[in-house]
Amino acid sequence: MLKCHGRRAALPVRIAANAFGEGRPERDLFVSPAHAIAVDVLGEVLIPACRLTNGTTITQVDVEEVTYWHVELESHDILIAEGLPAESYLDCGNRRFFANAEATDLLAVPDARPEGTLPFCRPFHEAGAVVDLVRARLEERAVALGWHKVEETFAGLHLVADGLAIRPDVQGLTARFVVPADARDVRLVSQTSVPAHVVPGSSDDRRLGVALAALSIDDGLTGAREVALDDARLGKGFHGVNGGARWTNGSAVLPAALWDGCKGSFFLRVTLAGPALSRWVGPGETADVVHLAERRQA
């Protein structure tokens, strides 16, 4: 059993039933991230599952621990897993990972591949035109299965302050929250999306919430406070500053030190650098789009 503890290279990939076509696979299939799937592109090729994740029918699953079972044959070959062709185990220098090989390297991952040529039974691709073609086919298939994209400027942006949800008034790309000055556990919460899943050509696999361009606090008594995007107090839930903007990961912590000394309640103003990314919504699911109240000019 492998302890994942957020190690992306260890998290399993879920391939939804019918992702590649009717009965391929017949039911949801879970594989290790670099386990190769056989895909027919004018002949079969092998592509690691992690290169095909798309936010719809193929996703990496957050788990605390996982047990992987690999099947080894006399030579590398194709097995049928729940109706989907996939590779058998190929020793890539990771045999010590497995329990029955007296594994001693507890930091090993199940799919480590050394440099150099390996005896794959089919042409192996990790990137390039072939992978792009297969990803495009998978997206077409996902849409046919009922997946669709939704666009929402603020991606349901709201505050959770000491367990209470606070919705903003909005105007343009600015959201304004009224926050009790005694609030202590405060998070800026939104829906998320992955650029690599919705932006053609992107390889950015970060989970992104909203892109902040400015942040300020004003209680009307002690004076307005501009919070720099690179303020050292902004850490958990924030990605790094890039190009004058700072993305959240969908649950960004705002420390109470930011409004220390404020009286009664204060306005928290958040200005976005641009609309949030579009996101995928599955068949039968509601988009859960939150329509925020537009602030009107007097």
Side-chain angles (χ1 to χ4, degrees), residues 2 8-13 31-36 48-50 60 68 70 87-95 97-98 108-114 118 120 124 126:
L2 176 64
R8 192 172 184 82
L11 296 176
V13 172
V31 299
S32 53
H35 197 82
C50 62
Q60 209 156 6
Y68 289 115
H70 284 209
E87 69 172 337
S88 65
Y89 172 68
L90 176 62
D91 187 359
C92 300
N94 62 336
R95 188 175 295 277
F97 166 80
F98 296 95
V109 293
D111 301 301
R113 299 192 188 278
L118 290 169
F120 289 106
F124 180 81
E126 287 197 273

Side-chain angles (χ1 to χ4, degrees), residues 14-44:
R14 171 185 169 272
I15 303 174
N18 307 311
F20 285 82
E22 191 65 32
R24 293 182 294 140
E26 295 172 351
R27 59 180 180 175
D28 289 2
L29 173 65
F30 293 82
V31 299
S32 53
H35 197 82
I37 307 302
V39 186
D40 191 352
V41 184
L42 298 177
E44 283 188 332

